[in-house]
Amino acid sequence: CGAGLGINGRYRVVTERTVFAMPETSIGFFPDVGANWWLPRVPRHGAGLYIAMTGSRMNASDLIYTGLATHYVPSDKLGSLEEALRAAAAG
């Protein structure tokens, strides 16, 4: 999903395959209006400015470090996570 949608989730899960980027900034465009709200609120001080100014790609460890992701799950365990969430939701 796009950053503007996913960033607002309470739980933001990443895997070793996750790539997060704002490529529009690397070609000189500015972040969209939604990003202008959440970028200054990135938990790791200065990370939002860095993301906005560089457009660099971030992997799972970068996202955990900055606080943009809340949980790491290996991609081969996503099925188990989904099953556990469904079971928890069912009561």
Side-chain angles (χ1 to χ4, degrees):
C1 75
L5 179 62
I7 201 69
N8 293 299
R10 181 179 207 165
Y11 305 106
R12 297 176 302 276
V13 179
V14 293
T15 74
E16 73 280 0
R17 297 179 183 176
T18 299
V19 177
F20 179 97
M22 299 187 68
E24 65 274 16
T25 61
S26 64
I27 60 170
F29 293 133
F30 55 87
D32 66 34
V33 68
N36 286 328
W37 183 86
W38 63 261
L39 280 169
R41 292 165 176 81
V42 172
R44 179 69 58 184
H45 180 73
L49 179 62
Y50 175 79
I51 295 164
M53 297 300 289
T54 66
S56 45
R57 296 165 55 115
M58 299 172 70
N59 61 27
S61 61
D62 297 328
L63 295 168
I64 293 289
Y65 176 78
T66 59
L68 290 173
T70 58
H71 298 80
Y72 174 85
V73 176
S75 59
D76 63 343
K77 302 291 184 194
L78 286 174
S80 300
L81 173 63
E82 181 179 359
E83 289 174 21
L85 291 171
R86 287 183 189 276

